[in-house]
Amino acid sequence: MMKKEMIAMLLAGGQGSRLGVLTEKVAKPAVAFGGKYRIIDFPLSNCINSGVDTVGVLTQYQPLRLNTHIGIGIPWDLDRNVGGVTILSPYEKSGGAEWFAGTADAIYQNMAYMEQYDPDYVLILSGDHIYKMDYEVMLDYHKANKADLTIACMPVPIEEASRFGVMITDGNGRVTDFEEKPPKPRSNLANMGIYIFSWPVLKQAFEDMKGTPNLDFGFHILPYLRDHGSRMFAYEFNGYWKDVGTLGSYWEANMELIDIIPEFNLYEEFWKIYTKSDIIRPQYVGPNAVINRSLISEGCDIEGEVHNSVIGVNVTVEEGAVVRDSIIMGGTVIGKGCKIEKAIIAENVVVGQNVVMGEGPEAENVLKPKVYGFGLVTIGENSVIPDNVRIGKNTAIKAVTTAEDYPNGELPAGGAIVKEDGK
């Protein structure tokens, strides 16, 4: 097999339980973002833009849509005879089937894949962050410091640092210590979960840590390297980076795309974001339609009003409907006369006529208050909402519902209708 200087291992197995009904049947990296993209498009595009042409994508939870989306990697120019993109799913060994049991364990189980390229360096990435980063610059930093491990870090406000793993460094950027979600952080350098390992060091660490249950980078590999006096360096990243792990941060990151001067710019020529694009007809905007400050994807049919929203491919907004501050994913139909406010509506949902969403006071969600908050209405894919119902804030629906599901024609704030099979 041809030798590669650096290969990437992209962890895309995340269930993303804090995205609630959006990830019930879809891995988090496969969730739609910014209208026509999926979350995984961002790290994949970063790889090819950085000259990394060998990427192993480690899937686990609900991988079908992810696998279909990535295919053989054509949109990212990753359909290579040598290298390219490879989907790596957990597989059955002679001793029985084994799920990936931790971030490092997932990589360890794919040693054979990495060994065939005999890389000098291994880049470890997460499949569920929105950012643009040139990994080549990070690799140059790694080489200049003769590092065993370089960790991408982002300065965060000190009051938020306890949510992250934080790195304590000396004046040269060398990591002297680190803390995993400390109550009183000693540093504001947050670990972004992006690592460059020198391959012999990673191999040795795996060899020595073999058999550790739930082998994880933050809890096991980093302490091992520290205790063995390895050269670990923090690479400070000051660009845009968002972990879209909650419905609130997912909604916010989408809304930031439609700022007048977006902090995260999808329109830059020199750093393109690539995605699998089907051949779709152009969008149609009707004679009475009103659109302002919104992203409208291909194939849409807009007859109503869209304000401050991100609209996916093949979405229909019928006459008299008003959509505000919302994310509507591909293939969804918003019926006549609807009033939709601050909603996240997943793919292929049918919203009947004169439905009102997101008005009125807030109340804590009865099902998962920590997940369904932020004043949002969240509707899972393939759901159906009947005509003339009202849906309050902090609500969740994942079902083909009928009028009977809405006593007095209403799902009050904090309510939920989630049926196991969606029926």
Side-chain angles (χ1 to χ4, degrees):
M1 205 45 154
M2 190 174 136
K3 182 174 170 55
K4 295 280 183 183
E5 184 185 26
M6 182 160 79
I7 64 169
M9 299 295 275
L10 178 53
L11 293 156
Q15 185 174 347
S17 52
R18 289 175 305 159
L19 290 180
V21 291
L22 297 186
T23 48
E24 206 160 273
K25 293 269 165 63
V26 188
K28 187 161 97 175
V31 170
F33 182 85
K36 63 185 284 186
Y37 302 99
R38 296 194 184 277
I39 294 171
I40 198 163
D41 293 337
F42 295 86
L44 279 177
S45 298
N46 286 340
C47 282
I48 202 64
N49 288 333
S50 304
V52 179
D53 65 2
T54 304
V55 185
V57 179
L58 289 81
T59 62
Q60 177 152 301
Y61 172 79
Q62 299 282 7
L64 180 63
R65 191 165 306 169
L66 206 53
N67 297 357
T68 311
H69 180 65
I70 293 169
I72 58 168
I74 292 170
W76 304 273
D77 191 25
L78 285 168
D79 51 327
R80 305 287 174 108
N81 288 336
V82 178
V85 70
T86 307
I87 306 279
L88 302 167
S89 301
Y91 54 92
E92 192 158 346
K93 303 171 186 63
S94 53
E98 266 181 71
W99 284 102
F100 300 148
T103 53
D105 178 63
I107 307 286
Y108 174 65
Q109 285 196 37
N110 288 286
M111 284 292 277
Y113 169 78
M114 295 185 284
E115 274 172 337
Q116 66 183 343
Y117 296 107
D118 185 27
D120 297 321
Y121 308 101
V122 177
L123 170 67
I124 313 274
L125 303 171
S126 173
D128 48 14
H129 298 151
I130 304 293
Y131 66 109
K132 294 178 186 175
M133 183 194 266
D134 190 339
Y135 304 131
E136 211 166 358
V137 178
M138 183 175 168
L139 179 60
D140 290 343
Y141 176 85
H142 180 86
K143 289 175 183 171
N145 286 304
K146 298 186 170 54
D148 297 315
L149 164 63
T150 298
I151 302 154
C153 294
M154 183 147 193
V156 295
I158 194 81
E159 54 276 11
E160 283 180 38
S162 57
R163 290 177 29 222
F164 301 93
V166 295
M167 300 290 140
I168 291 102
T169 57
D170 65 14
N172 301 317
R174 185 165 178 175
V175 176
T176 53
D177 202 2
F178 45 82
E179 306 168 307
E180 199 61 43
K181 299 186 177 167
K184 289 196 177 139
R186 289 186 281 152
S187 153
N188 71 331
L189 273 185
N191 179 354
M192 294 167 69
I194 299 167
Y195 306 104
I196 292 180
F197 282 91
S198 292
W199 172 233
V201 174
L202 182 61
K203 215 157 47 166
Q204 191 59 54
F206 279 148
E207 201 47 51
D208 293 353
M209 303 287 288
K210 205 162 49 186
T212 305
N214 301 328
L215 190 60
D216 183 85
F217 284 111
F219 288 110
H220 302 113
I221 301 291
L222 266 59
Y224 164 89
L225 292 177
R226 177 192 57 200
D227 298 345
H228 284 74
S230 298
R231 290 178 64 81
M232 291 194 282
F233 282 81
Y235 171 74
E236 198 171 307
F237 177 72
N238 284 295
Y240 179 97
W241 178 80
K242 232 187 180 99
D243 177 354
V244 286
T246 65
L247 288 168
S249 64
Y250 173 80
W251 179 82
E252 251 169 46
N254 271 275
M255 291 298 124
E256 282 168 359
L257 295 175
I258 50 181
D259 285 345
I260 303 298
I261 300 169
E263 201 184 333
F264 187 73
N265 191 344
L266 291 172
Y267 305 100
E268 286 170 335
E269 268 304 303
F270 71 93
W271 199 269
K272 289 195 172 110
I273 303 299
Y274 301 96
T275 189
K276 174 177 181 268
S277 283
D278 299 318
I279 306 302
I280 299 170
R281 64 186 175 83
Q283 51 187 241
Y284 174 76
V285 178
N288 302 317
V290 177
I291 299 173
N292 64 50
R293 210 163 166 265
S294 298
L295 285 184
I296 312 285
S297 305
E298 299 100 318
C300 287
D301 189 344
I302 312 291
E303 303 281 355
E305 295 185 25
V306 179
H307 304 272
N308 219 47
S309 295
V310 175
I311 310 292
V313 293
N314 293 326
V315 167
T316 301
V317 178
E318 293 184 352
E319 235 174 306
V322 180
V323 176
R324 276 181 208 282
D325 303 324
S326 295
I327 301 162
I328 315 286
M329 296 185 207
T332 286
V333 177
I334 308 292
K336 286 181 182 162
C338 287
K339 300 279 176 282
I340 312 285
E341 226 165 283
K342 215 175 166 195
I344 300 175
I345 302 181
E347 296 177 51
N348 303 315
V349 170
V350 177
V351 179
Q353 298 185 7
N354 304 313
V355 172
V356 176
M357 277 185 206
E359 284 187 357
E362 287 195 35
E364 199 171 79
N365 185 268
V366 292
L367 200 61
K368 292 176 180 167
K370 284 196 172 75
V371 173
Y372 302 114
F374 316 100
L376 291 161
V377 176
T378 308
I379 299 187
E381 60 179 29
N382 303 317
S383 295
V384 175
I385 314 293
D387 297 347
N388 306 315
V389 297
R390 300 179 72 83
I391 297 164
K393 293 176 179 168
N394 297 343
T395 46
I397 297 173
K398 170 84 173 71
V400 175
T401 61
T402 60
E404 285 72 61
D405 293 306
Y406 302 84
N408 307 320
E410 185 177 18
L411 178 66
I417 307 171
V418 178
K419 302 181 184 178
E420 273 310 302
D421 53 359
K423 299 283 186 289

